[in-house]
Amino acid sequence: MADKRGVTIRELAQAAGVSIGTVSRALKGQPGLSEQTRGQVLEIAQQLGYDVGKLRTGKPRRMLFLYSRHVGSLASNPFYSYVLHGAETACREAGVPLSLMSVQAGEDIAGLVRRHEVDALLGVGYFAAEAMEAIRRCELPLVLVDHFYPGVRCVNDDNQLGAWLATKHLLDGGAQRVAAIFGPMTHYSVSLRAKGFRRALFEAGRLFDPDYEVTLDPALEYRDAGRDAMQRLLALPERPDAVFAYNDSTAIFGIEVCREHGLRVPEDIRFIGYDDIEEAVHSKPPLSTVKMDKEALGLVAARALIEGDIEPSEASLPVELVIRESSRAATSAPTAPARKARR
């Protein structure tokens, strides 16, 4: 957003030595700033000729729920559907209309956003750096969910702790060869879940074997990629006896493959996922998982935008381990000794 002299909120923030969120609060007269900071911003705005009157005051008139097109439709991605429902609940309570749009790098994202005539953005999931910069250039209040970007307010669950809890559960139950299936490590939540997985192995004195950690092939369709990852694990000289999957859908695909190979879950191989989507309860056997309040992610993020709470920070919502049949310890003795980490 630039005035007739071409001054943008970003330039105003740089001149004042504060964040865009601080400038927005100062110009809107919102609480949470010292009078000195507010006065400094207003003085510099006047010096630069920024039209203070053009900045809308109060809650946003309309919010836009943005997500990356590469994740597919929300119908095929249950996790983000829950987040959307939470955001819609917050907007409904505040009387703020919420619209929906998918974007991808290379598009005229700013132009697409302008067509929605919104004044607040809720970005959900991973965005490539090019797309993130285009979103930032819209110069609208922005909060991210299930992603992290410097200088932006972000709302996530405690991904590292959740993966640590899941992996520790498998280890504590006697698993000797714990494998993991992950999505792209460029995704913030995935990288933290990988870190939690490795931390649990390290603390248990287990040797980290890269052969037991596989990532989905991005060239394949999602379901095919999950099945392919499990096939690679089963092809190892010593197949794993437990698998942590970075989300529930991938765990369910893995269980399907194991069943096709005549393996019993959890007797021969144990599984635990992440997210606690509805399908986890109804899978055969019911899937152990890490639960977080998915709707709360959207609710907290939308309320932050509605209340003008967009200072750069990261809110981390709690997680909970949910134990179901898929990860219960087998009664038979393990087939191979645990490998200790080198000291």
Side-chain angles (χ1 to χ4, degrees):
M1 183 188 301
D3 67 2
K4 60 185 179 181
R5 292 178 55 181
V7 180
T8 66
I9 288 183
R10 185 182 300 275
E11 291 168 342
L12 179 52
Q14 290 173 345
V18 297
S19 69
I20 292 175
T22 297
V23 169
S24 178
R25 285 187 174 187
L27 298 182
K28 291 181 178 180
Q30 294 176 332
L33 301 178
S34 68
E35 289 305 315
Q36 179 181 357
T37 299
R38 192 185 310 279
Q40 176 188 355
V41 171
L42 293 174
E43 181 180 354
I44 293 176
Q46 185 176 22
Q47 291 173 359
L48 296 178
Y50 188 89
D51 182 5
V52 178
K54 72 183 179 183
L55 196 66
R56 300 184 181 101
T57 60
K59 66 186 179 185
R61 297 187 305 176
R62 181 182 294 274
M63 189 183 302
L64 180 60
F65 185 102
L66 281 175
Y67 67 98
S68 181
R69 186 169 298 173
H70 83 277
V71 305
S73 68
L74 293 186
S76 65
N77 194 314
F79 177 87
Y80 295 134
S81 297
Y82 285 111
V83 176
L84 174 61
H85 189 266
E88 197 274 337
T89 297
C91 288
R92 181 187 295 268
E93 291 173 351
V96 176
L98 178 68
S99 54
L100 176 71
M101 185 174 74
S102 64
V103 297
Q104 61 186 11
E107 291 183 318
D108 179 14
I109 292 177
L112 293 170
V113 169
R114 281 195 297 272
R115 293 177 195 172
H116 284 261
E117 298 183 341
V118 297
D119 42 22
L121 300 176
L122 177 54
V124 180
Y126 173 76
F127 295 95
E130 179 185 349
M132 271 303 311
E133 283 305 306
I135 292 169
R136 293 290 301 279
R137 285 195 295 272
C138 294
E139 294 198 331
L140 293 171
L142 170 67
V143 175
L144 298 175
V145 171
D146 193 36
H147 193 31
F148 178 84
Y149 202 78
V152 179
R153 178 152 174 72
C154 306
V155 180
N156 290 291
D157 66 275
D158 198 337
N159 289 283
Q160 185 174 337
L161 175 62
W164 178 84
L165 288 170
T167 308
K168 186 175 186 299
H169 163 66
L170 296 174
L171 293 167
D172 288 347
Q176 305 299 304
R177 298 176 302 281
V178 181
I181 303 176
F182 293 115
M185 289 297 173
T186 51
H187 293 207
Y188 180 67
S189 60
V190 177
S191 65
L192 286 181
R193 291 175 192 182
K195 191 172 182 179
F197 169 75
R198 295 165 190 164
R199 174 188 155 201
L201 291 177
F202 176 80
E203 291 179 355
R206 300 296 181 89
L207 174 66
F208 171 70
D209 187 338
D211 288 342
Y212 284 83
E213 185 178 299
V214 298
T215 57
L216 301 186
D217 185 343
L220 298 176
E221 293 295 324
Y222 181 45
R223 184 174 184 275
D224 293 337
R227 291 177 56 84
D228 168 74
M230 192 67 232
Q231 296 279 11
R232 282 183 273 155
L233 288 175
L234 293 182
L236 293 173
E238 289 185 290
R239 64 164 175 79
D241 59 2
V243 176
F244 165 62
Y246 83 109
N247 65 22
D248 291 339
S249 296
T250 300
I252 292 170
F253 301 150
I255 291 174
E256 290 176 359
V257 171
C258 288
R259 188 179 298 118
E260 292 166 5
H261 280 74
L263 295 173
R264 300 167 301 165
V265 179
E267 293 84 357
D268 299 318
I269 185 168
R270 296 156 59 201
F271 278 85
I272 189 166
Y274 203 112
D275 293 339
D276 196 28
I277 61 175
E278 185 175 353
E279 288 84 347
V281 180
H282 303 293
S283 70
K284 296 182 180 180
L287 180 67
S288 296
T289 186
V290 177
K291 178 180 181 179
M292 95 287 291
D293 191 337
K294 297 171 285 297
E295 292 190 13
L297 291 170
L299 191 76
V300 169
R303 282 179 177 168
L305 285 167
I306 291 166
E307 296 166 4
D309 184 14
I310 57 171
E311 284 293 307
S313 62
E314 183 180 7
S316 184
L317 303 191
V319 295
E320 175 188 352
L321 189 64
V322 178
I323 306 304
R324 300 190 180 107
E325 186 64 26
S326 71
S327 69
R328 297 196 187 280
T331 55
S332 59
T335 58
R339 290 179 289 176
K340 294 292 183 181
R342 298 185 181 97
R343 300 296 183 187

